[in-house]
Amino acid sequence: MTHDDFKVKVLGRAEVKSKLTPSSLSDGTAFGFIENDDRVLINTTLSNYKQDVETSKTPISFEIAGPHEYLYFNPSNTKVAIVTCGGLCPGVNNVIQSVVNQLYYRYKVKQIVGIRYGYEGFIAKYNHQEVELTPQSVDKIHFFGGTVLGTSRGDQDIVQIVDRLSKLNINILFCIGGDGTLRGAHAIHQEIHRRNLNISVAGIPKTIDNDINFIDKSFGFETAFTIANDIIRYAHNEAIGAYNGIAIVKLMGRNSGFIAAHAALSVHEVNLVLIPEMAFDMDGSNGFLNVLQRRLENRHHALIVVAEGAGQHFFDSATLEKDASGNIKNKDIGLFLKEKITEEFEAKGFPFVLKYIDPSYIIRSAPANANDSKFCGLLAQNAVHAAMAGKTDFVVGHWNSNFTLLPIPISVSKRKEIDVEGELWWNVIETTGQPASMKKQ
Ligand SMILES: Nc1ncnc2c1ncn2[C@@H]1O[C@H](COP(=O)(O)OP(=O)(O)OP(=O)(O)O)[C@@H](O)[C@H]1O
Ligand SMILES: O=P(O)(O)OC[C@H]1O[C@](O)(CO)[C@@H](O)[C@@H]1O
Ligand SMILES: [Mg+2]
């Protein structure tokens, strides 16, 4: 990838160049506006910088988000739609509320509609009616988990979506969702572009899995692993309460193990973490079962955290099922581990007590915690700034302490995963004391 791949698109030249009133203090000091060439480096190490200088390469960087002085849209006749798609995630209502408030109070945009139940809300056959959104109607929604607009999975016809956007005279569409939603947003943008329409499409990254590329964290992730933290601590009590007690906690994380890794790092009592990115064997002297048995022989209890996407290689790939959006439905690795441990230890006459805990949706249907609430508000404000300036096909992100804007295709070009040779995974290994590899010898 080159520097140019990271350039955010802007809609064609604006007819009306409205100006944003600066945020200023009574002494006239104004909060600065952002210029299009304000950027943050992807890699800030000195060695990387020297290498770029030596090879005369323009380093890869992201556009910094923030208020632009010149607006593409004229607030008095701008109409905005907001849609939420994919699985629930803490903070969706905070984002909806902050988008509405920022548009209404900062930009004086008064026409805002919510699309019901994800992308299917655009499709006539479902007969979902748009709802008007005002600061009054979204007042207090941030106290609740879920999404007041409703959500859905499943492919929808992009042509019909853009027909509906045109019919409603929408100028800006905010798509709140994960990688699937962002792919959908890009497809909508392409159809808008094909028809030469002036509609901006903005993405706001929602996923507890934290698997969106080039974004250091998605909203909801932190709340999800914080809730998991409590559950793991309680599971530890189950493990230590019995001789050779084993507690297994399965956590969401379809393809990436960030929730499991961060939850384990935040608890410190976890002995084994299994994630999708790490291949492991059941048998053999270094395999999972023997590692677990040695742990029990030494300490007489074991706390295991397993991400739902771990160990999928143990299941027959011919029986794989997909959800309505085409995402692979993982088989239950927690139950599989329970069965394998039971089989092995019973056959050996090795005493144990096993509790399997699957908190499932509980970690994602709760309201956002304080840090996520703050993060949601700032992501939303920055998405509004960029969209009002005419940016399109972008997702608002966060990198190296800055809010950023990324072209959507870049953000979905690859799923973000844990590098098992990188710092985060080594932190997990050092904190848990688990072997670096659980592969057969
Ligand atoms: N390539 C695509 N083109 C058009 N629409 C898409 C595309 N990929 C996904 N979508 C649509 O985006 C919506 C959300 O996708 P999906 O169910 O995968 O959730 P997500 O946004 O990835 O969130 P989660 O993190 O919960 O999985 C669905 O309606 C899906 O059909
Ligand atoms: O059962 P659902 O709602 O399709 O979603 C489950 C998936 O959604 C996620 O929570 C991501 O949103 C994954 O961790 C999980 O695999
Ligand atoms: Mg997804």
Side-chain angles (χ1 to χ4, degrees):
M1 278 181 210
T2 68
H3 167 76
D4 285 350
D5 296 322
F6 290 79
K7 280 192 179 153
V8 174
K9 291 195 196 81
V10 187
L11 290 169
R13 284 295 91 216
E15 307 263 312
V16 185
K17 273 204 168 173
S18 333
K19 272 174 98 171
L20 180 64
T21 326
S23 301
S24 51
L25 301 175
S26 48
D27 67 358
T29 325
F31 179 73
F33 290 114
I34 288 287
E35 300 296 334
N36 283 329
D37 55 5
D38 284 341
R39 301 185 72 88
V40 54
L41 290 176
I42 185 170
N43 191 329
T44 48
T45 61
L46 186 58
S47 55
N48 203 72
Y49 169 76
K50 281 182 177 161
Q51 207 182 346
D52 285 336
V53 170
E54 272 163 25
T55 53
S56 315
K57 243 184 23 196
T58 310
I60 288 178
S61 58
F62 304 133
E63 185 168 329
I64 294 182
H68 287 260
E69 182 172 17
Y70 290 98
L71 306 182
Y72 181 83
F73 294 107
N74 183 351
S76 61
N77 55 22
T78 297
K79 193 167 175 192
V80 173
I82 305 175
V83 65
T84 60
C85 314
L88 294 186
C89 178
V92 180
N93 285 334
N94 301 62
V95 172
I96 297 170
Q97 184 189 61
S98 297
V99 168
V100 171
N101 285 344
Q102 179 78 347
L103 284 165
Y104 198 96
Y105 292 120
R106 184 75 181 92
Y107 284 88
K108 318 290 179 227
V109 171
K110 306 280 161 80
Q111 302 177 81
I112 311 167
V113 293
I115 306 298
R116 304 300 316 274
Y117 303 109
Y119 288 138
E120 72 174 47
F122 287 108
I123 310 293
K125 74 170 179 196
Y126 294 101
N127 207 17
H128 301 312
Q129 283 310 302
E130 298 82 29
V131 287
E132 194 192 338
L133 297 174
T134 62
Q136 291 70 37
S137 73
V138 298
D139 182 28
K140 300 194 179 60
I141 64 172
H142 59 301
F143 293 133
F144 303 98
T147 159
V148 289
L149 295 178
T151 181
S152 64
R153 296 197 190 272
D155 276 353
Q156 305 301 340
D157 181 15
I158 299 297
V159 170
Q160 285 186 52
I161 293 178
V162 178
D163 288 347
R164 188 76 194 147
L165 286 170
S166 299
K167 187 142 187 252
L168 291 170
N169 292 318
I170 299 298
N171 304 104
I172 302 173
L173 171 64
F174 288 97
C175 301
I176 305 172
D179 59 333
T181 306
L182 294 175
R183 284 195 183 89
H186 178 63
I188 294 169
H189 157 75
Q190 283 179 309
E191 179 62 15
I192 287 169
H193 185 67
R194 195 184 65 75
R195 297 189 198 183
N196 220 359
L197 301 172
N198 282 333
I199 305 175
S200 155
V201 179
I204 306 182
K206 167 233 69 137
T207 171
I208 60 165
D209 290 359
N210 193 31
D211 58 359
I212 299 179
N213 209 19
F214 297 122
I215 294 185
D216 60 19
K217 67 168 184 175
S218 47
F219 78 81
F221 160 64
E222 186 178 298
T223 305
F225 85 71
T226 304
I227 297 171
N229 168 292
D230 280 343
I231 295 164
I232 296 168
R233 284 192 299 117
Y234 305 150
H236 183 235
N237 295 337
E238 293 289 344
I240 54 178
Y243 181 74
N244 285 351
I246 305 165
I248 302 177
V249 180
K250 186 179 84 169
L251 295 173
M252 282 192 164
R254 192 189 276 129
N255 304 99
S256 303
F258 290 102
I259 301 173
H262 283 259
L265 285 176
S266 70
V267 175
H268 279 232
E269 264 86 19
V270 180
N271 310 115
L272 287 170
V273 182
L274 303 171
I275 55 168
E277 296 88 334
M278 182 199 75
F280 64 98
D281 291 322
M282 274 292 153
D283 307 310
S285 73
N286 262 358
F288 169 80
L289 292 169
N290 275 316
V291 169
L292 175 61
Q293 185 173 338
R294 285 198 289 273
R295 159 76 202 175
L296 291 169
E297 284 163 350
N298 286 334
R299 306 275 297 148
H300 301 296
H301 70 275
L303 179 57
I304 303 168
V305 171
V306 57
E308 66 162 286
Q312 294 301 307
H313 55 287
F314 296 121
F315 302 98
D316 179 3
S317 57
T319 64
L320 278 186
E321 290 172 68
K322 292 192 172 174
D323 71 11
S325 296
N327 302 303
I328 287 168
K329 284 188 177 181
N330 286 318
K331 304 284 184 196
D332 196 328
I333 181 67
L335 276 184
F336 178 83
L337 294 178
K338 181 180 171 181
E339 280 164 19
K340 288 287 167 196
I341 294 167
T342 307
E343 229 172 71
E344 169 87 358
F345 290 175
E346 279 182 0
K348 283 181 170 169
F350 184 78
F352 71 101
V353 173
L354 192 155
K355 310 289 182 201
Y356 173 43
I357 299 162
D358 180 1
S360 180
Y361 295 101
I362 301 297
I363 67 166
R364 73 172 207 194
S365 40
N369 69 12
N371 205 27
D372 255 334
S373 299
K374 172 186 145 199
F375 189 51
C376 288
L378 299 179
L379 282 172
Q381 290 179 2
N382 281 303
V384 170
H385 285 316
M388 287 301 292
K391 313 258 170 198
T392 189
D393 196 23
F394 74 88
V395 55
V396 59
H398 194 262
W399 194 266
N400 281 339
S401 308
N402 286 276
F403 284 92
T404 54
L405 304 177
L406 296 175
I408 290 178
I410 285 288
S411 69
V412 296
S413 58
K414 191 171 156 286
R415 185 178 289 114
K416 190 172 76 177
E417 293 179 347
I418 294 182
D419 172 5
V420 289
E421 289 175 3
E423 188 188 354
L424 172 62
W425 191 240
W426 278 103
N427 292 338
V428 172
I429 287 171
E430 286 174 7
T431 306
T432 57
Q434 73 187 66
S437 162
M438 277 186 266
K439 296 288 286 173
K440 263 186 206 148
Q441 283 281 295

